[in-house]
Structures are given as structure tokens and as C-alpha cells.
Amino acid sequence: MQDTITTPTTGHHAARDFDFLMGSWHIRNTRLVHRLQGCNDWEVFDATGTARPLPGGIGNYDDFITATWKPGFVGMALRVFSPEAQRWSIYWLDNTTGGVDAATGLLHPPVVGGFRDGVGIFEGQENFEGRPVRVRFEWSQMHTGAPRWQQAFSDDGGATWEVNWVMEFARPV
């Protein structure tokens, strides 16, 4: 199966697509309790995060720390920009799995994509509860000072999507 990748913004500015995210954030999370099961129950919790650039303009990373949802849980998004492909690859790492496939010892595959018309779309394949699913990250409202991220899964090859996690970002007061 060939991945369909959103054509991102091209040019040297695309490497700065995530500049809006740099710095510290308060993150309000709304997360579906059970995914791909027709569940309508959502949990809400807060987290903090800080985004930082990587050296040489190769990308950026941020941390994700929660106080009450899974105490001790720490996550991290690693975003790497390919100037040649003009695309971003986003990897998710955490202190539960390390972001590594236990069978292969390799990083889980990234979601890949870019920004167009004020929205960032990044898609890829993931294994969820032992089955392959499509995963989509969507960034919006980047220039409002209160960006929004959401994750959706599709278990039918992308015909339908279930949003299962939403993060609303605000600068700490």
C-alpha cells in the first residue's frame, strides 16, 4: 500500500513551519477513552510542554509532561524536516515504549506531511492493538496564539477517520 502524502508548502520557509510552537505551553488534552470501538467517552487532563529547535535547522522537538494523567509519563515529539523532499517526519517517543518497536528495535514509523492553506496534515501507518491503522496528525490555528493539534485513526484505509485526541495550547500565564 502506497502512502498518500500531503504536498507541503515549498521553499525555504517550509523549514520554519513549526516556529509557532517554540517555547513553553500549557496543554489542555481531550482524549477518547477507547479508540476505534465506537466510544463517546472522553477524558480531559492538563499537561505542559516546551518546544525547542534542533541545531542546524534540521527540525525541532518538544516534551509532553502530565501531572495527573499517568503520573510519571513523559512524551516527546521529534520533528525532522527534509529540504529535498520539502516534508516533515514526526516521530513520537515516550518513556513507556521509547517509541521503539519491541520486535525490531527500530523507531516506530513517523507521520509525514506538511502545511497547506494554514493547516498541517501528517499521515502514516501505525499498529494499534495488534492491527494496522492509518494515523493522521492535524495542526490548525497556528497563528492565533492558541494552536490546536488533533490525532485521528482510520481502520478502513482512510475512508473514514475517528478523532481520538485533541490538544489545545495556551501560553503559561
Side-chain angles (χ1 to χ4, degrees):
M1 175 178 186
Q2 174 128 11
D3 285 345
T4 57
I5 304 298
T6 301
T7 303
T9 304
T10 57
H12 68 282
H13 297 311
R16 301 191 62 146
D17 283 339
F18 281 99
D19 282 3
F20 71 90
L21 194 58
M22 296 301 106
S24 297
W25 295 94
H26 169 81
I27 307 163
R28 171 58 50 106
N29 294 268
T30 307
R31 186 175 181 272
L32 197 58
V33 174
H34 301 287
R35 300 169 185 186
L36 297 175
Q37 297 179 16
C39 178
N40 291 315
D41 295 326
W42 294 83
E43 59 185 339
V44 177
F45 60 94
D46 292 324
T48 60
T50 302
R52 298 171 182 90
L54 290 170
I58 61 174
N60 57 72
Y61 69 99
D62 64 42
D63 54 40
F64 176 84
I65 301 169
T66 64
T68 57
W69 181 78
K70 297 186 179 184
F73 180 86
V74 176
M76 179 182 130
L78 172 64
R79 298 176 197 86
V80 181
F81 183 72
S82 167
E84 185 176 337
Q86 292 288 298
R87 290 193 179 109
W88 286 92
S89 295
I90 304 174
Y91 298 87
W92 175 253
L93 313 170
D94 62 52
N95 64 340
T96 304
T97 68
V100 175
D101 182 287
T104 66
L106 300 174
L107 285 175
H108 291 290
V111 293
V112 178
F115 289 83
R116 181 190 297 171
D117 300 326
V119 177
I121 302 290
F122 308 86
E123 293 185 9
Q125 287 292 130
E126 183 173 307
N127 281 319
F128 176 70
E129 296 182 345
R131 60 185 168 153
V133 297
R134 297 276 311 153
V135 61
R136 175 187 289 165
F137 292 179
E138 180 179 317
W139 279 98
S140 61
Q141 303 175 18
M142 287 82 62
H143 303 293
T144 67
R148 184 178 191 276
W149 172 90
Q150 72 178 28
Q151 174 180 270
F153 284 173
S154 174
D155 61 359
D156 59 11
T160 61
W161 293 90
E162 176 187 81
V163 173
N164 57 49
W165 198 328
V166 175
M167 293 183 184
E168 296 170 304
F169 290 72
R171 294 289 182 190
V173 197

